Amino acid sequence: MTAQGNRLPVGGILYLILAFMLGAYFTFAAVQGDYGVFRQVQIRAEAEALRIERDRLYEDLARISNLTARLSDRYLDIDLLDERVRDVLGYVRPDEIVIR
């Protein structure tokens, strides 16, 4: 046997190293990159948190719209008006006793 028969060609080794490096880079980019798996999970979690916040804000808006409609000129709820005046301004009638 000759000495050249036992040696691996340098070009083949360089090719394998280059292929491994490219594979490692693309694997890392697929997992950690801007559009990677971890980022997709993070985006889904943020979207779910924003959906929950949106639903809570819609509920608040519906409640506030209901109170506004009940205090409007077209439909005046005297009991609600009395409650709000007492709560916000601290009014009491002269014949009432306040217990704190």
Side-chain angles (χ1 to χ4, degrees):
M1 293 194 105
T2 64
Q4 289 181 340
N6 291 338
R7 284 186 5 174
L8 287 174
V10 175
I13 293 174
L14 289 176
Y15 176 75
L16 287 176
I17 291 173
L18 180 65
F20 176 76
M21 298 281 285
L22 283 173
Y25 169 75
F26 286 122
T27 302
F28 177 80
V31 174
Q32 294 281 344
D34 290 339
Y35 302 102
V37 175
F38 290 150
R39 181 69 177 138
Q40 294 296 323
V41 170
Q42 183 182 14
I43 288 171
R44 285 191 189 108
E46 288 174 4
E48 183 61 29
L50 290 174
R51 273 190 218 99
I52 291 170
E53 178 73 12
R54 179 201 61 198
D55 293 343
R56 187 188 62 77
L57 289 173
Y58 277 143
E59 290 172 3
D60 288 347
L61 179 63
R63 183 182 56 80
I64 291 170
S65 296
N66 180 24
L67 289 175
T68 303
R70 289 171 55 192
L71 290 174
S72 70
D73 291 338
R74 284 179 259 144
Y75 177 81
L76 183 60
D77 187 354
I78 300 298
D79 292 332
L80 178 64
L81 181 62
D82 184 53
E83 174 190 332
R84 296 306 302 159
V85 166
R86 290 168 182 267
D87 186 41
V88 174
L89 300 177
Y91 282 172
V92 288
R93 289 189 212 130
D95 61 339
E96 292 179 335
I97 299 172
V98 178
I99 300 174
R100 291 186 185 234

